[in-house]
Amino acid sequence: MKGLCIVGTGSSVPRQAVTNSDMARRVDTSDEWIVSRTGIRERRFAGEGEDLTALACAAARRAMEAAGVGPEQVGLCVMATVTPDKLTPAQSCLVHRELGLAEDCPAFDLSAGCTGFLYAMETVAALLPRMERPYALVIGGEILTRIVDMEDRNTCILFGDGAGAVVVRSADAPWYCALHTRGDGEILWAEGPGREPPHLRMDGQGVFRFALETVPRAAQTLLDRAGMSADQVDWFLPHQANHRIVDGIARRLKVPLERFYENMDRYGNTSAASIPIALDEMVRGGMLREGQWVMCLGFGAGLTWAGLLFQWGPQKEDK
Ligand code: UT7
């Protein structure tokens, strides 16, 4: 099955760490409430001079350096985000310029909320074989603090800013992906431009129920397609929204929580950036071995949800 091989990863988060105690100075909340309900302890907020172009380019450069891939080898650049620096051109075009990518390397954005990175991976898996150059850059990045209402304690404690990126090439490797949508504008949304303020609004319990209803089912669909059981998956990499959601998914799949990677304690929910940032940490932490099975699971605004099951490596090959 034609899929992708990830040959390099990178990530970048803003300098400013904001703890739960800091949040308790802004809204009526507490460290105890946030940790027990979400697992989040701190998040990063973009400050002066930190825009999404800078975060995304830093993540992409690290991924390209890890891969040993230069801008002239990149034939496709797709960025998942809902908080671009400009309404137009696309965020990926700003990244394209900064990185000096070639003119026959198309760049476009993809909006699928927190599932955006997985949507982008599957889109790239389909398109990359038709491109002029062998590698693609897939980036997930957000400055969610642009649309979060800092006076709404239901949402402001959850989200953070950051970017993650991967460099991929096409590969004849196992690749099982399931993308889903259930169109809905009332569970998780932000109004469009001209409708100020464009704040993120959310029915938290609605999202919670939706995630636990859909994500384990998507995971099972992928396992069935691959003829595998959940025991055979070495790592689950879920969207980092809430520890209790991850715990619920693990229970439903009957998989020990130790096989689920989590870092929401340090970054909160970074939407499209959450899976690639976590993946980069896993790679740099030496957690992934060649041949291991990885299942990424995403869910978010749309409503969208997705699963991606693939085998890790090999990272290096003759170029
Ligand atoms: O990428 C997807 C993005 N969204 C999500 O992942 C969200 C999924 N949902 C959740 O993570 C949870 O629903 C939340 C963490 C948002 C909320 O947890 P919950 O256990 O569902 O709490 P709740 O909404 O039922 O609220 C319980 C109480 C309420 O007070 P009353 O009505 O019982 O008096 C809230 O007003 O907690 C209150 N509350 C807070 N208290 C302290 C809500 N937010 C806070 C807060 N600090 N930050």
Side-chain angles (χ1 to χ4, degrees):
M1 190 180 316
K2 204 75 178 166
L4 295 174
C5 179
I6 296 171
V7 293
T9 64
S11 60
S12 174
V13 293
R15 285 180 293 277
Q16 187 192 0
V18 178
T19 65
N20 289 347
S21 306
D22 295 331
M23 294 308 292
R25 281 190 279 279
R26 296 172 184 237
V27 290
D28 182 14
T29 189
S30 65
D31 179 53
E32 194 279 327
W33 193 95
I34 301 173
V35 173
S36 63
R37 299 283 176 133
T38 71
I40 297 165
R41 292 179 187 277
E42 60 180 48
R43 69 288 289 142
R44 300 296 179 98
F45 284 180
E48 282 293 304
E50 284 181 313
D51 61 10
L52 191 54
T53 305
L55 287 178
C57 286
R61 285 196 177 100
R62 283 174 195 152
M64 288 163 72
E65 196 183 327
V69 164
E72 70 291 346
Q73 293 170 284
V74 177
L76 181 60
C77 174
V78 181
M79 173 138 184
T81 186
V82 295
T83 51
D85 285 340
K86 296 184 195 292
L87 199 55
T88 192
Q91 183 62 54
S92 51
C93 295
L94 304 177
V95 169
H96 187 286
R97 178 182 61 181
E98 285 296 306
L99 296 179
L101 301 182
E103 289 190 355
D104 60 12
C105 165
F108 60 93
D109 287 4
L110 199 152
S111 171
C114 305
T115 323
F117 181 74
L118 299 183
Y119 267 65
M121 289 291 272
E122 179 68 338
T123 302
V124 166
L127 269 183
L128 186 55
R130 303 170 75 101
M131 296 295 115
E132 299 292 331
R133 297 165 197 259
Y135 295 94
L137 252 178
V138 191
I139 309 169
E142 305 284 5
I143 298 194
L144 288 169
T145 46
R146 286 176 169 160
I147 59 167
V148 167
D149 180 353
M150 287 298 168
E151 292 177 4
D152 176 13
R153 68 174 183 172
N154 291 295
T155 51
C156 72
I157 52 112
L158 298 174
F159 298 100
D161 302 333
V166 295
V167 175
V168 295
R169 61 173 166 79
S170 295
D172 269 319
W175 183 266
Y176 301 93
C177 188
L179 305 180
H180 297 277
T181 300
R182 180 189 296 164
D184 184 298
E186 278 87 42
I187 291 187
L188 183 52
W189 78 100
E191 297 295 344
R195 302 232 197 137
E196 295 301 326
H199 281 146
L200 195 65
R201 299 290 176 218
M202 179 183 75
D203 165 5
Q205 291 192 5
V207 177
F208 204 104
R209 280 194 301 273
F210 146 72
L212 289 186
E213 176 217 324
T214 57
V215 175
R217 212 170 51 217
Q220 192 55 54
T221 303
L222 293 180
L223 292 171
D224 292 346
R225 271 194 221 162
M228 290 170 62
S229 70
D231 306 340
Q232 292 170 283
V233 177
D234 298 282
W235 286 108
F236 289 85
L237 203 181
H239 169 46
Q240 306 290 311
N242 183 322
H243 170 70
R244 287 191 296 144
I245 294 178
V246 174
D247 186 51
I249 296 170
R251 284 173 196 274
R252 280 163 178 74
L253 292 174
K254 299 188 171 56
V255 171
L257 205 47
E258 299 77 67
R259 278 196 276 139
F260 280 72
Y261 188 77
E262 293 183 82
N263 67 1
M264 80 277 287
D265 57 324
R266 283 169 290 129
Y267 303 121
N269 179 346
T270 57
S271 190
S274 98
I275 290 177
I277 290 175
L279 181 64
D280 184 45
E281 284 193 348
M282 293 177 79
V283 171
R284 287 174 195 268
M287 297 171 74
L288 294 171
R289 310 234 179 293
E290 196 174 319
Q292 285 191 328
W293 286 93
V294 180
M295 187 186 283
C296 299
L297 295 166
F299 57 92
L303 299 167
T304 55
W305 68 102
L308 171 61
L309 175 63
F310 63 99
Q311 224 171 351
W312 186 250
Q315 266 43 73
K316 297 286 172 209
E317 54 133 38
D318 30 308
K319 292 185 189 139

